[in-house]
């Protein structure tokens, strides 16, 4: 899951060649396409995909178009070449990445500030004005964007992505009231341990813990504007979408999904395979394999196959 600078690449492919690559069948003319396009406004001699919840638009007469779609979703007689797929979006993404995407090599921008004690792996991209502290170790094939701050002790694994403006290792919000006019601040000295194939979104923040480690498991995807408090633990394969806030010491199991703008109070444990809906407010522990929504978040159903 390597991120780099992408550019759209022109190609020349027949419907039969794309279908062979996907090991799928196609119906209609074996037309040629040069680019991908959106189904909302498809262009001539392009390839796109159609999902079941998207209405079929009016298409120009004589338009040459390949559509990846489920069987029967595109009515016959529309003059469209259809590649029949059980998962159109996935197959479209595969085609775009394989045939229509140009990638530029990783590099380290001359304005990046990298301290002598940092350890940088092979084929690492570090963008403009990014700061990498002494205690940071970055794995191979990892992409770090512009204006990123990596501060303190951080282990960042192979094949990770850290998008522009993310701040990893900032001191947390750790104030204790001493009296009516004064607060005591507790510094943080711990480790942030980020496994392989992790995606950290733009302007996300991950706080350094007091002691011990904040841990993010393999293949976790953290969206833009997410906040992870100190000592948070995220299990393998979980996804946390834009605007979510996890307070200190939250533990999220593997293969969970936290919806847009959800909030999780400190110390909460979320079981494996759990879904929290958009805007959900989690104030108590959540069982594995269920879907929750609302304020406070309440169970909607049991996701069979995850509940232990």
């Amino acid at each position: 899951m390597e991120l780099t600078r992408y550019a759209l690449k022109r190609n020349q492919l027949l419907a039969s060649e794309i279908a062979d690559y996907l090991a799928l069948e196609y119906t209609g003319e074996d037309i040629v396409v040069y680019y991908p396009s959106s189904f909302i406004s498809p262009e001539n001699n392009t390839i796109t995909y159609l999902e079941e919840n998207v209405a079929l638009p009016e298409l120009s007469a004589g338009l040459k178009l390949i559509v990846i779609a489920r069987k029967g979703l595109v009515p016959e007689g529309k003059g469209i070449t259809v590649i029949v797929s059980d998962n159109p979006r996935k197959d479209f993404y595969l085609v775009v990445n394989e045939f229509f995407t140009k990638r530029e090599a990783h590099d380290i921008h001359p304005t990046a500030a990298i301290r002598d004690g940092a350890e940088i792996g092979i084929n690492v991209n570090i963008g403009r004005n990014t700061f990498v502290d002494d205690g940071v170790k970055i794995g191979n094939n990892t992409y770090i964007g512009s204006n990123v701050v990596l501060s303190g002790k951080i282990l960042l694994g192979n094949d990770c992505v850290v998008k522009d403006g993310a701040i990893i290792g900032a001191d947390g919000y750790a104030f204790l009231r001493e009296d009516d006019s004064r607060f005591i601040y507790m510094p943080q000295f711990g480790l942030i341990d980020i496994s392989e194939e992790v995606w950290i979104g733009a302007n996300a923040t991950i706080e350094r813990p007091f002691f011990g480690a904040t841990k993010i498991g393999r293949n976790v995807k953290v969206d833009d504007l997410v906040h992870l408090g100190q000592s948070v633990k995220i299990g393998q394969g979980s996804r946390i979408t834009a605007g979510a806030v996890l307070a200190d010491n939250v533990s999220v199991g593997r293969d969970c999904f936290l919806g847009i703008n959800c909030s999780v109070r400190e110390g909460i444990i979320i079981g494996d395979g759990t879904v929290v809906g958009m805007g959900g407010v989690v104030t108590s522990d959540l069982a594995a394999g269920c879907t929750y929504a609302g304020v406070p978040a309440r169970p909607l159903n049991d996701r069979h196959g995850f509940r232990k």
Side-chain angles (χ1 to χ4, degrees), residues 68-81:
I68 304 175
R70 291 183 182 272
K71 186 175 182 180
L73 196 60
V74 179
E76 294 185 8
K78 287 287 183 179
I80 298 172
T81 298

Side-chain angles (χ1 to χ4, degrees), residues 25-308:
E25 301 292 329
Y26 76 96
T27 61
E29 184 182 348
D30 192 12
I31 67 169
V32 66
V33 293
Y34 302 105
Y35 292 104
S37 68
S38 166
F39 200 81
I40 297 172
S41 55
E43 299 176 15
N44 199 38
N45 292 108
T46 63
I47 182 170
T48 187
Y49 77 101
L50 180 64
E51 293 189 295
E52 291 182 85
N53 59 348
V54 178
L56 191 72
E58 289 294 326
L59 300 176
S60 303
L63 183 71
K64 299 290 187 182
L65 184 67
I66 298 175
V67 179
I68 304 175
R70 291 183 182 272
K71 186 175 182 180
L73 196 60
V74 179
E76 294 185 8
K78 287 287 183 179
I80 298 172
T81 298
V82 178
I83 296 177
V84 180
S85 167
D86 290 333
N87 194 334
R89 179 187 290 187
K90 183 196 75 172
D91 288 329
F92 180 70
Y93 283 15
L94 289 172
V95 168
V96 170
N97 275 279
E98 180 69 18
F99 299 112
F100 299 105
T101 300
K102 180 171 62 177
R103 298 170 176 84
E104 298 179 10
H106 285 178
D107 62 10
I108 296 177
H109 197 275
T111 63
I114 303 173
R115 290 198 166 167
D116 293 340
E119 297 181 37
I120 311 297
I122 299 168
N123 191 36
V124 170
N125 187 91
I126 300 178
R128 184 187 301 271
N129 297 323
T130 284
F131 171 73
V132 182
D133 208 349
D134 282 318
V136 176
K137 183 176 180 180
I138 300 172
N140 300 331
N141 305 313
T142 284
Y143 177 95
I144 299 169
S146 298
N147 301 307
V148 171
V149 175
L150 303 176
S151 179
K153 294 182 288 186
I154 300 171
L155 300 178
L156 182 59
N158 298 330
D159 301 299
C160 289
V161 169
V162 181
K163 290 175 63 180
D164 297 348
I167 299 177
I168 302 176
D171 286 337
Y173 187 79
F175 296 93
L176 178 68
R177 184 182 290 276
E178 183 179 21
D179 53 40
D180 290 341
S181 60
R182 178 178 169 83
F183 291 91
I184 303 172
Y185 180 73
M186 175 62 184
Q188 287 86 47
F189 305 99
L191 168 72
I192 295 178
D193 185 356
I194 299 173
S195 187
E196 299 184 345
E197 300 181 49
V198 173
W199 179 288
I200 306 296
N203 298 313
T205 56
I206 304 176
E207 291 181 349
R208 185 188 313 138
F210 294 131
F211 304 101
T214 294
K215 293 189 176 183
I216 300 180
R218 184 177 179 273
N219 204 28
V220 167
K221 311 303 180 193
V222 176
D223 201 355
D224 301 346
L225 299 171
V226 168
H227 173 79
L228 303 181
Q230 62 102 358
S231 297
V232 162
K233 293 177 174 55
I234 311 294
Q236 177 175 324
S238 287
R239 292 174 292 160
I240 303 174
T241 58
V245 175
L246 279 63
D248 299 352
N249 295 293
V250 169
S251 178
V252 177
R254 63 175 179 86
D255 297 316
C256 294
F257 179 88
L258 276 59
I260 294 171
N261 289 330
C262 72
S263 302
V264 185
R265 69 171 295 176
E266 66 275 6
I268 292 296
I269 297 173
I270 297 176
D272 294 344
T274 292
V275 171
V276 179
M278 181 174 63
V281 176
V282 182
T283 59
S284 59
D285 293 349
L286 303 184
C290 288
T291 297
Y292 293 81
V295 182
R298 301 183 184 278
L300 299 180
N301 60 31
D302 182 347
R303 299 178 69 214
H304 297 291
F306 275 105
R307 180 175 286 281
K308 303 299 183 183

